[in-house]
Amino acid sequence: MFDFSLMSIIGGLPGLLIALVVHEYAHARVADAMGDFTPRMMGRLTLNPKAHIDPIGLVMLLIAHFGWAKPVMYNARNFKDWKKGELLVALAGPASNLVVAFLSLIAMALLFKAGIFSDGVRLVLSLMVLYNINFAIFNMLPLPPLDGSKVLMVFLPGRYAYKLMSLERYSFIILIAMMMTPVLTGILIPLQRVILGMFNSIIGVFL
């Protein structure tokens, strides 16, 4: 679970920062576009890391691979269509991480072809790809307050959505248990391979 490798921490820092910032910015931007100006008033419509990073959450991500950013606050009652708004806001974060991962993979391919693919560049970009893919998958777990639970609650009948939401008080314990057992790895690794395979297939057509 814990990784105190200095090279891993230094090489992973750009990927983690970008993953966190882009994810939260995407939530804020889509909420604003759907009619709720709460993120705008709270200064979250920016790519400045200061607006999104929780220092303790970042440190935990670097050393324990489990952390958090400042959540984007929004009011779904201000959305023109609350179901559509909730769905798009929830999906925006993970989708943005997949876009970053795909672009990073393209950058790796182009730099390799150009012959300027050093070990340092390879480490930073490969971690950027993996962290963003894992961040997208992790956040789509159907466990509140993760994005996957919000997507699921849009489609669930009211009483079941309420029951799912009530699990939030146990979420931290559940997540820790998942990380200390093969459960989370069993979810992340297969999906990570599928996504990487799809990305490589697309890139292989053009490069």
Side-chain angles (χ1 to χ4, degrees), residues 20-72:
L20 290 170
V21 170
V22 168
H23 184 98
E24 298 302 333
Y25 173 77
H27 283 318
R29 176 58 66 184
V30 173
D32 186 78
M34 295 304 295
D36 178 42
F37 303 132
T38 304
R40 180 185 296 273
M41 291 186 291
M42 297 184 72
R44 303 302 296 272
L45 290 183
T46 176
L47 289 172
N48 185 341
K50 289 183 179 180
H52 304 290
I53 296 300
D54 182 303
I56 297 176
L58 180 61
V59 170
M60 289 297 292
L61 267 171
L62 285 169
I63 64 174
H65 299 167
F66 173 67
W68 54 89
K70 296 176 185 175
V72 171

Side-chain angles (χ1 to χ4, degrees), residues 17 19 52 67 71 78 108 119 129 131-132 207:
L17 280 174
H52 304 290
N78 292 328
M108 288 178 68
D119 288 342
V129 171
Y131 284 159
N132 274 277
L207 297 178

